[in-house]
Amino acid sequence: MDFAVMPSIIWPLLSAAAGAFLGSYLNEKAKNLATKEDIAKITRVTEEIKDQISNESWNRQRRWETQKEIMFDVVRALGDASRLLSDMRATFRATTGDDFDDAQRGRHRGEAQRKWMAADEVLQQAVALVGLVASTEVHQSLIAVSM
C-alpha cells in the first residue's frame, strides 16, 4: 500500500467520524437545552399554580376569620341587648309602685331605655355586617330575631 495515498483516505474518514461525533454531540446538547428550557417552564408554571392556590387559601382563611369575628360580635350584641331589655322591663316593673315619684320614675326608666336603645343600635349594625359575609338566610334570620 502506498503511504502517500493513505492521508487522502484517512482524512475523509477522520473528518466523517469527527463530523458524525460533532453532529451527534451538538444534537444531544440541543436536546439537553430544550429539556432544560422545558423544565424551567414547568417549574415556572408550577410556582404560579402554587402561588394562586396559596392566595386562594389565604383569601378563604381571611374570609372565615372575618365571618367569625362578625358572628361573635352579633352574639355579643344579642346578649347585651337581651340583658338590657330584661333590665329595662325590670326597671319599668320596679318603678310602677308608690316608692318613686314621677321624676325618679322617669329618670330610671329613661336611663334603662337609653341603655337598651344603644345596645339595640350596636346589634342592628352587627346584623347589617352579617349581610356582607353570611348567606341571605342567616342574615334574614338575624333580622327577624333582632326586631
Side-chain angles (χ1 to χ4, degrees):
M1 184 175 257
D2 189 10
F3 287 109
V5 177
M6 268 187 100
S8 63
I9 295 174
I10 292 178
W11 281 116
L13 288 175
L14 285 175
S15 294
F21 173 76
L22 190 58
S24 175
Y25 175 79
L26 291 176
N27 188 25
E28 191 64 30
K29 278 297 204 180
K31 285 180 187 177
N32 288 343
L33 180 61
T35 300
K36 187 176 180 180
E37 289 172 354
D38 289 345
I39 290 172
K41 182 178 180 182
I42 290 169
T43 302
R44 187 176 61 251
V45 169
T46 301
E47 290 300 320
E48 288 172 2
I49 292 170
K50 283 171 47 178
D51 288 344
Q52 182 179 3
I53 290 170
S54 177
N55 287 338
E56 289 171 4
S57 176
W58 184 87
N59 287 337
R60 272 193 311 275
Q61 181 64 30
R62 186 65 192 127
R63 182 171 170 85
W64 166 250
E65 289 171 7
T66 301
Q67 286 174 331
K68 181 180 76 168
E69 289 171 20
I70 289 172
M71 295 308 274
F72 278 145
D73 289 345
V74 167
V75 169
R76 274 191 291 276
L78 274 169
D80 290 346
S82 177
R83 179 181 51 79
L84 289 169
L85 182 59
S86 294
D87 289 353
M88 185 173 67
R89 278 189 286 198
T91 300
F92 273 68
R93 281 191 204 120
T95 58
T96 56
D98 293 337
D99 295 339
F100 297 93
D101 63 29
D102 288 342
Q104 290 174 322
R105 184 177 294 116
R107 192 171 4 95
H108 287 294
R109 288 179 175 184
E111 181 62 24
Q113 189 175 15
R114 277 190 294 280
K115 286 180 182 178
W116 178 78
M117 289 175 73
D120 186 57
E121 180 64 28
V122 170
L123 175 59
Q124 297 308 317
Q125 290 172 0
V127 168
L129 288 176
V130 168
L132 298 174
V133 298
S135 69
T136 304
E137 182 181 351
V138 170
H139 187 229
Q140 292 300 320
S141 296
L142 285 171
I143 289 172
V145 167
S146 67
M147 291 188 146

